[in-house]
Amino acid sequence: MTHRIRAARWVEREHVAAVIAEALQPTPIAAWLVPDQEQRGPVLTDVAAIWVEHAMFYGDVHVTSDLTAATVCFRRYRPLPPPASYTTRLATAAGPHADNFLALDDIIANRQPTKAHYHLAYLAVRPPHQRTGLGRTLMHHLRSRLDLIDLPSWTLTLPTGEHLLAQTGYTADHHAIVRPADGVTLQPMSRRCGQRDEPATTALHPTSGRQNSRA
């Protein structure tokens, strides 16, 4: 089946957030962010919704035609403001787990490039549709956009996402690997401008962070 990639609509922002949460839920980073398994899905969805909405103002959200996979990206030509009423909204969305999300925000803020770049915040495919080529389709679409706008790109990914990102020209910085908790590993990866077809998932969310310097 051929999937068309298109920009997500405003009314689809909560659906995109649910796709992200579903993809993240079985991962170690999700268990660290929300240790309570029963709360994990709803909290991840509500927090992701904040960032999906923010990306619709300051970046791009693209989905497959069947809404089973999505990328959420930020165009960081300059430092971005945080989402509107972020501290209050995060506290409402995450409750007692808010500090873990703020810790992740700080990790991203302290490691992303300071120069203009395109931040791949989320690459998510619903678990029943993983390993069907949807992630690769989304990444090839992203590569085409990056070649047009001529910006380097950066992301922080789980180990399971490294291979797919490498196929699209991203290179891992193993000296900057992050381990925010036992069993949780995050790998920074970047892609140079004009890096067409050079080989080298879930990517993690933006942060326009508390220091107004992430996305």
Side-chain angles (χ1 to χ4, degrees), residues 34 39-50 86-98 101:
V34 188
Q39 296 182 22
R40 191 173 301 154
V43 169
L44 290 172
T45 301
D46 290 347
V47 174
I50 297 172
Y86 179 57
T87 302
T88 301
R89 293 175 68 188
L90 181 64
T92 300
H97 312 292
F101 285 92

Side-chain angles (χ1 to χ4, degrees), residues 82-212:
S85 305
Y86 179 57
T87 302
T88 301
R89 293 175 68 188
L90 181 64
T92 300
H97 312 292
D99 285 347
N100 290 344
F101 285 92
L102 290 172
L104 178 60
D105 290 349
D106 284 341
I107 288 170
I108 298 172
N110 291 331
R111 284 163 177 79
Q112 66 183 350
T114 56
K115 295 182 179 179
H117 65 282
Y118 199 71
H119 178 190
L120 171 59
Y122 293 104
L123 166 62
V125 180
R126 292 186 62 231
H129 299 270
Q130 291 175 4
R131 302 184 183 279
T132 63
L134 288 180
R136 185 174 294 106
T137 298
L138 279 167
M139 288 306 300
H140 283 305
H141 185 264
L142 173 61
R143 181 185 63 191
S144 298
R145 300 203 314 275
L146 288 172
D147 290 340
L148 286 174
I149 64 177
D150 198 32
L151 270 183
S153 181
W154 180 87
T155 191
L156 192 65
T157 185
L158 300 172
T160 52
E162 281 191 59
H163 180 68
L164 177 58
L165 289 162
Q167 289 181 329
T168 323
Y170 284 80
T171 302
D173 182 356
H174 293 295
H175 296 290
I177 198 166
V178 185
R179 292 184 176 86
D182 290 343
V184 180
T185 300
L186 303 175
Q187 175 62 66
M189 298 187 74
S190 58
R191 183 182 187 272
R192 301 189 307 273
C193 291
Q195 193 167 331
R196 301 171 188 264
D197 297 316
E198 292 183 29
T201 170
T202 305
L204 287 179
H205 83 73
T207 48
S208 80
R210 290 182 290 171
Q211 301 174 355
N212 295 341

